[in-house]
Each structure stands twice: as C-alpha cells, then as structure tokens.
Amino acid sequence: MDLSRRGFLQAAALTAAASGLTVACGNGSGSAGSKNGKNLTLWYWGGALSDKVVAEAKTHFSGQVKLTAASIGGDFKQKLTTTLAAGSSVPDITGIKGEDMASFLPNASRFLDLNDLGFKEISSKYLDWKTKLARSEDGKQIGFPIDIGPTALFYRADLFDEAGLPTDPDKVAAQAGTWEDYFALGTELRKKVPGTYLVNNISSVFTIAVGQGTERFIDRNNRFIGDQDHIRTAWNTAIRPYTLGLDAKINDNTWNAAIGKSLTTELGAAWHALDIEQAAPDTKGKWRVCATPGGPANQGGSYLALPKQCRNPEEAFKIISWILSPENDARGFADAAIFPAAPAAYSMPAMTGGDPFFGGQKVIEVFGPAAKAIPASYEAPADAAVMAPYFTELTSIEAKGKKPEDAWKDAVAQARQIARRQGVK
Amino acid sequence: MLSHWRQYLAISPFFVVFGVFSFFPVFYSLYLAFQRWDGMGTMEFVGLQQFRFLWTDPVFWMSIRNTLVIWVLSTVPTLFGALVLATLLHSVRRFKGFYRIALYLPNVTSIVAVSIFFGAVFSNNFGLVNAILGTVGISPVPWLSNPWLIKLVIALLMTWMWTGYNMIIYLAGLQAIPTQIYEAAKLDGAGPVRTFFQITMPIMRPIILFTVIISTINGLQSFSEPQVLFGSNAANPNLGGPGQAGLTTLLYFYQSAFVNNDYGYGAAMVWAFFVLIMVLVVVNWRLVQRGRKS
C-alpha cells in the first residue's frame, strides 16, 4: 500500500482517538462515584432471560435510565470474575449461573445486598429454597432468582404402550415411584422392546440422586462429607442401571442422535424438554413427562445480581424486579423455556397450556409441584469442584469397565484431596 | 544509545505489549503459585503447600503421562511424514504451489473447527469411521471412550494439523542444499535411499533439531484438542473425556484454575510443567546433537 505522509498522520490520529474513546467508555462504567447514573448495563448469556422481556424493559424504563443489555458469549463466569477482580467496566446488573452462585458467595461483599433495596418485601413470591442458595452466611442476599430446573422423567409413551406398560403420566409416576421401581420398569421395557436404554449415562443419575437429598459433599461446618451414606446411596443408585444393562453409556456428544431412538426415557430438568425437542423433532407428540423417580431435584437455574459498582442501585433493582415479576417470568417460559422461580406464574395462562411436543400434556402439572418440593440443601463454594471426581470415576466404569468398588474409593480419595486444596477440613 | 531514541520508540510498542501481557503475567503467576486465591477474595500465602499438593496429586501425574503419550504419538509421525512429504515435494515438477498450499492448509484451520470435525468423524455410535468399518463388517470401535483410542484420535488430529507446517520448514531446508552435492553422489553411484540417509539427513540435522524442539513445545501444550473433543459432555466438562484419558496437563491446569477457581494451584501446576518442558527440550537437544559429534 502506498501511504502518503498526510494519510499516515490522519490514520494515526484516528487510531489514537478511537483508542482514547474506548478507554473513556471503559472507565465510564467503572467509576463508582455517582449512585444515580442514567446509563445501566446488563450482562447475561443467550437464553438466560427472555430477549423480548429485556427489549421491553428498555422501553419501559427509558424515561428514567438508558438500559444497555449485552449477551455475553463464552465462559460467562470467567469473564465476570475477571471483571469483578479488575474492578473496572463492571456491569450494573449481571446474571450469575446457579451452579456458580456458591463460588461467588464467599465474595458477597462484591455485590449489593438486595434485601436493603427491597427484596425482603417481595421475597415470599419466590421459591424459598432457591432464594436461600444465593444468601451469604451473614444473611446478605446477592442473587435475585431468575429460573429453576425442576427435574422430571421424560419417556416415549408410544414405546411404553408397545411394551404393555402404562402410558398415562400419573400411572407411570406411580409405577416408577422409587429408583428401584424405575429400573424394574426399564428391565421390563428392554425385554419387550430390545435395543432400548433407560438412561443416557450413569453420571446423570448420580447428579439427580445427589440433588434429591438435603446434604451434598461439604457440610455447613466446612467438613468433607462426600464419603458418607447419603453420597454412597446416590452412588449405588447410579451404578444400578449399569449393572442391569440399562445404561446407554453415552459420554460423547452423540446424545442428539440417540435420544428418542435407542434412548426411550430421559431424566432432566424442565429446560431439557427443549433439547429433546430440538434433537428429535420427528418424535413430536410421542413423549410424556412424569415425576422423577425418588422425588424431584434441581438442575441449573440462574440469578441476577447487582455488583457493588452499580451506578444506580434503586433503578437497577426496579428493573430486575420488573423483568423477574411473575407475569414476565411466565412469558419467559413461553419464549425461551425458562422455568420461573415465582410459583405465582405456574397458574398463569402462559404456562398452563398443553405442550404439543408432549402430546398436549399440561407439563406444568408435573413441574409445578416438583418445583415446590425440591429439598433445600447447602451448597459449599467448593462443591462443584469436589463433585467432579465422582463423575470422572463413573465414566471410567462405563468406558473402561473399572470395578465400581475401586472407582468409589478413587473418587472419594480424589474428592477429599480437592476439598483439602480448597481449604475444606 | 540515547541518540537512537526514535528507533527505540518505533520498536517500543512490541516491548510494551510484551511486558504488560506476557512478561508481567509470567512472573505474577510465579507469585500466585505460593498463594491460595479464588480469583476475587483476599490472597493467602501458603508457602510451598501448592507444590506439595501437586506432588501427591495422582491426577496431575496422570495428566503428565497422557500429555507425553499424546506427544510421542503425534510428534513421531508428524516429523517423519513432514520429511517424506518435503522430499517428495522437492522432486515434484508441476503444481508445486498447489501442493504446498494444500498441505499447509490444515495448519491454518481453526483447531476448534478441526476438533469438532474429528469428533463427528470418530464418534462412537454415529461416526463416519465406524460407518465405513461397518460396511466391511467390522463392529464399531469406541474411538472416543477407550483410553488408548482417545489418545490416538487426539494425536491423529495434531499430526494432521502440524505435518504441513513442518513440511514447509523442511522444504526450505532441502532447497538450500546445493545440487552439486547430489550430482556428486549420483556420479559416485548412490541410490535415492542412500542419498537421503547419507546426504540429506546430515545436512538437515539443524533444521530437524529446530522442528523437534518446536514440536516438543507445541505438542506438550495440547489443550484445545481434548477440550473441544470432550467439551460438550455436560456431566464432565473439561475433564478430558471418559476416564480422563484425554486430560492433558494444560487442560487440567485450566480446569483447576478457571473451573474450580483454584488459581494458586493452577499457577503451581504450570510452573512445574514449565520445568518439565525445559528438561525434555534439553534431552531432545542432546539426543539430536549426539549423532552429530560422532
């Protein structure tokens, strides 16, 4: 390229101006000085909130503040952690994934206490167990619940019919009330419809079985309890479908191709319905959903939080309580399969309709009661890290045929070591 | 020196960027290796505790073993294949440019795209390879769940990506060898194989040494391949697939630091790994040099 001196100078000046502008913008959102700013930024990830509701919030509050919503891709938690640690360009409102909430709680001082802003008055509208999971030890409420993930059992009613099993959700739920009943049903199904499997992998059973209890891997006194009976029971439950030959052992990304074909039942959260629908659109109308064997558990579900740097806490809180009001929550379910954390939404028309993918079944009748019955459990900051080796060992059983007893010993040893590294006694 | 300030100013952007984004983080990570830090809260000085944990962590040692196996499985065929391809290409008369581009292309393709593609091709239940094997009556091979096959697939992916890169370097080396030497060899009655081993190889030694060291550093840093291949596994993200057979050290580092929020431990891990890479580079260097002296 032939660049004249003047051209070069112009380009250089423009570049400098542009970088100066970027820096200025960057600083703009970072300054914590004024607490009644007119510009608010909202960070969330694709699918965390209904895009329609967010767009409406912008116009709804345009008189008071200018709301800029950014859908952040990639590793959301990583980006948020980095930004909070750096202390500049922090969003005024941010999403936090349910599974990451526990690791943010030790740093609750980085966020505003929503109770001070009026969450206390409206908290009864939201599920108590979900709200509790975003409360620090000293009672600071840092997360405003967006959604939850009550689990259920999805099954192919037409194949159940073929096998001479009940197809009605209530009857299936009754016959698969406990895990043992469910596996017995699966054994029968496999006899009649050869080549079908009950669960995609045993890790998914383990996740739900652990979630059905009130204790996890670390207790409130910061002690490792991952070797105790409640975890051992969940582990044994997970091993059962493997020994019975009901485990499809899908540990790679071929789930999409198996669901609805060789995989005739599926355990998962409410939002999982959308995954099944997208992976197996030609099985539309053949699926039904019923209560999880052994009781409901929660998987996923997120929060909105206000970082300490928020430039207008009052307005920001108004915005999030508007976006997450039961009415808008119900719309979020219709738009993006986000299952509301506000029980009042469950009786709204947006949620009580029949779902054509499930043959017109009113799925809220399964998920609604499940949402309210989820046991409240304490989740320690290191919980997710400590849980990982159990998954590893379960996949080792499936992939290498490792002896379950050896796998259990290795999982506990490994989990204990990770716990110790993270400062657990 | 000061009289050259304009020149220094002109080259300064690189050094400023390098200092801020490379030099400082490197030494900050050394500092971090002696702390316990969750990324946001206060740091706690723990001395050598992180390294003690590392020493007794079976997963860390397993990740080193995985990395070394994958490295050997990929580097040997990569360098050998590159040398063969370069020799072939050197003697080719027509379409030289086309071959060069075609063989180099895999290296500039995004690792993520390639990994997704390999994941689909080698998928256990519905992959292309198993489908082809099926047509000739071979039962499906568990490419992505058997511990050895997992490593083989990752190594194959890396071989595919890096053969062309090394080939270009070898080709440059081959072209620098004066043709008179070959003519002399021909006059003395040496065949192509003898010429290759007695003339090409010795002259190419420094270039081979360079590629061996670059491949050591590159191969030991394998991260994206297993991460993408086994990333979508929801129950077990970033853990290197079934049985952690694809867990390389850098993937384990990523998981410890960025998934478990254990930054101090991650820092300790990469420093220990740095020492290991240095040792291996020296060993390689000595091995390739030794032949030269004798």
Side-chain angles (χ1 to χ4, degrees):
Chain A
M1 197 172 79
D2 210 17
L3 197 66
S4 67
R5 173 182 279 216
R6 176 172 295 184
F8 171 76
L9 287 176
Q10 275 171 350
L14 274 174
T15 317
S19 61
L21 215 64
T22 330
V23 170
C25 291
N27 283 344
S29 52
S31 60
S34 67
K35 281 288 179 192
N36 46 13
K38 291 278 177 221
N39 291 308
L40 292 181
T41 48
L42 161 67
W43 276 18
Y44 66 113
W45 56 93
L49 294 168
S50 158
D51 292 328
K52 281 186 203 158
V53 173
V54 171
E56 223 168 274
K58 279 184 209 165
T59 49
H60 193 266
F61 289 93
S62 58
Q64 292 86 29
V65 290
K66 186 176 172 295
L67 179 68
T68 317
S71 182
I72 308 283
D75 191 341
F76 188 88
K77 171 191 160 197
Q78 189 47 40
K79 287 176 183 168
L80 183 62
T81 310
T82 315
T83 319
L84 287 174
S88 68
S89 304
V90 179
D92 301 288
I93 306 169
T94 180
I96 294 182
K97 292 188 182 176
E99 61 267 35
D100 300 331
M101 183 44 94
S103 64
F104 278 108
L105 282 177
N107 296 299
S109 57
R110 300 257 180 184
F111 297 92
L112 295 172
D113 186 354
L114 299 178
N115 277 335
D116 295 345
L117 293 161
F119 184 69
K120 217 174 208 138
E121 285 78 56
I122 55 167
S123 66
S124 60
K125 283 200 226 168
Y126 299 88
L127 289 164
D128 193 42
W129 63 264
K130 181 71 182 172
T131 312
K132 251 187 201 154
L133 287 172
R135 196 178 297 154
S136 69
E137 285 293 292
D138 52 350
K140 271 182 81 175
Q141 184 70 37
I142 69 166
F144 196 127
I146 300 176
D147 65 324
I148 55 167
T151 59
L153 173 64
F154 303 93
Y155 63 94
R156 281 280 301 270
D158 56 328
L159 292 176
F160 271 43
D161 194 33
E162 215 179 296
L165 294 166
T167 55
D168 180 64
D170 289 333
K171 288 197 186 116
V172 176
Q175 196 168 336
T178 67
W179 285 103
E180 265 319 303
D181 292 345
Y182 171 54
F183 299 143
L185 182 142
T187 313
E188 206 170 315
L189 180 71
R190 202 171 151 73
K191 249 184 256 158
K192 303 269 175 57
V193 189
T196 65
Y197 294 101
L198 206 59
V199 297
N200 61 343
N201 59 42
I202 54 180
S203 303
S204 64
V205 177
F206 184 68
T207 318
I208 293 176
V210 169
Q212 287 171 334
T214 50
E215 276 177 313
R216 295 179 67 87
F217 297 87
I218 298 160
D219 70 6
R220 280 180 189 282
N221 301 320
N222 204 25
R223 271 200 314 259
F224 175 71
I225 51 169
D227 54 346
Q228 293 183 4
D229 284 345
H230 63 288
I231 299 297
R232 183 68 217 225
T233 312
W235 173 274
N236 289 344
T237 305
I239 300 292
R240 284 291 285 163
Y242 171 76
T243 49
L244 291 170
L246 300 169
D247 174 18
K249 302 180 192 170
I250 299 173
N251 278 308
D252 59 3
N253 41 21
T254 55
W255 175 85
N256 287 32
I259 185 72
K261 294 184 188 76
S262 57
L263 209 51
T264 41
T265 72
E266 175 81 352
L267 292 156
W271 45 261
H272 198 46
L274 201 64
D275 298 338
I276 301 177
E277 211 173 320
Q278 281 166 353
D282 49 336
T283 56
K284 185 179 174 181
K286 293 174 179 166
W287 289 87
R288 296 290 182 279
V289 55
C290 77
T292 320
N298 182 60
Q299 273 189 336
S302 317
Y303 298 91
L304 281 180
L306 303 180
K308 205 178 58 191
Q309 286 90 342
C310 179
R311 288 168 295 176
N312 193 339
E314 245 106 83
E315 275 308 315
F317 184 77
K318 267 186 214 156
I319 292 172
I320 61 175
S321 49
W322 185 85
I323 290 178
L324 300 176
S325 66
E327 296 77 28
N328 284 330
D329 262 2
R331 290 176 51 201
F333 183 70
D335 292 349
I338 301 163
F339 196 87
Y346 303 164
S347 55
M348 289 177 187
M351 294 195 71
T352 52
D355 188 331
F357 188 75
F358 295 100
Q361 187 189 349
K362 291 175 179 166
V363 294
I364 189 68
E365 288 170 3
V366 175
F367 291 119
K372 291 171 199 164
I374 289 167
S377 59
Y378 168 71
E379 214 175 308
D383 195 83
V386 170
M387 192 170 184
Y390 294 87
F391 291 135
T392 306
E393 293 300 326
L394 286 170
T395 45
S396 277
I397 294 175
E398 288 175 318
K400 295 196 277 194
K402 191 170 183 175
K403 280 204 192 92
E405 198 51 43
D406 296 345
W408 165 258
K409 279 187 197 124
D410 289 350
V412 170
Q414 186 57 32
R416 201 190 293 277
Q417 201 166 32
I418 294 174
R420 214 155 49 94
R421 279 207 300 267
Q422 303 246 345
V424 176
K425 277 170 258 170
Chain B
M1 182 170 160
L2 274 177
S3 60
H4 295 296
W5 68 271
R6 285 185 196 84
Q7 285 89 330
Y8 283 112
L9 188 71
I11 59 166
S12 67
F14 168 77
F15 291 96
V16 171
V17 171
F18 174 80
V20 173
F21 292 105
S22 292
F23 195 75
F24 171 72
V26 162
F27 287 94
Y28 191 66
S29 75
L30 187 60
Y31 168 74
L32 264 187
F34 297 93
Q35 317 280 331
R36 193 163 81 215
W37 189 42
D38 66 358
M40 275 191 290
T42 45
M43 284 186 200
E44 186 192 340
F45 180 78
V46 291
L48 287 170
Q49 197 191 54
Q50 307 284 15
F51 291 97
R52 256 199 308 274
F53 281 145
L54 204 60
W55 188 253
T56 56
D57 183 357
V59 181
F60 172 67
W61 294 109
M62 188 187 66
S63 78
I64 299 242
R65 276 199 304 277
N66 287 345
T67 311
L68 292 179
V69 169
I70 292 170
W71 169 64
V72 171
L73 283 179
S74 68
T75 308
V76 174
T78 300
L79 296 188
F80 184 73
L83 200 54
V84 171
L85 281 177
T87 322
L88 289 177
L89 199 54
H90 188 51
S91 58
V92 143
R93 303 238 172 270
R94 300 179 62 195
F95 305 122
K96 249 185 181 166
F98 168 76
Y99 287 128
R100 257 181 247 177
I101 292 171
L103 290 167
Y104 189 70
L105 210 57
N107 192 246
V108 289
T109 324
S110 146
I111 296 188
V112 174
V114 175
S115 302
I116 291 172
F117 176 71
F118 266 66
V121 166
F122 285 97
S123 158
N124 288 352
N125 304 323
F126 308 97
L128 187 64
V129 176
N130 278 348
I132 293 170
L133 289 179
T135 57
V136 291
I138 300 171
S139 56
V141 178
W143 295 107
L144 296 180
S145 57
N146 176 290
W148 277 96
L149 293 176
I150 285 176
K151 295 186 181 76
L152 195 71
V153 169
I154 296 173
L156 205 61
L157 201 165
M158 289 163 70
T159 307
W160 190 74
M161 283 204 71
W162 290 97
T163 304
Y165 171 84
N166 288 300
M167 182 207 69
I168 293 286
I169 297 174
Y170 286 153
L171 189 62
L174 287 175
Q175 284 171 345
I177 302 175
T179 45
Q180 291 94 318
I181 300 181
Y182 284 110
E183 280 160 12
K186 218 175 203 171
L187 283 180
D188 290 342
V193 176
R194 176 123 194 224
T195 317
F196 180 78
F197 282 104
Q198 304 243 290
I199 296 178
T200 312
M201 284 289 275
I203 298 179
M204 292 280 285
R205 196 183 293 278
I207 295 159
I208 293 171
L209 174 68
F210 171 77
T211 56
V212 165
I213 288 172
I214 291 290
S215 300
T216 307
I217 294 168
N218 268 335
L220 292 179
Q221 290 180 345
S222 51
F223 163 75
S224 312
E225 298 88 353
Q227 205 228 0
V228 179
L229 268 179
F230 303 105
S232 60
N233 180 357
N236 222 357
N238 299 320
L239 284 170
Q244 296 186 312
L247 185 79
T248 59
T249 307
L250 279 202
L251 188 56
Y252 187 44
F253 148 72
Y254 175 81
Q255 192 228 341
S256 300
F258 298 107
V259 180
N260 291 355
N261 277 358
D262 205 344
Y263 291 85
Y265 192 57
M269 199 182 300
V270 283
W271 272 94
F273 195 51
F274 170 73
V275 171
L276 181 84
I277 292 182
M278 289 315 289
V279 167
L280 282 173
V281 165
V282 170
V283 167
N284 267 326
W285 187 65
R286 295 294 292 256
L287 277 179
V288 180
Q289 281 282 322
R290 200 176 53 184
R292 192 183 199 177
K293 277 174 199 150
S294 62

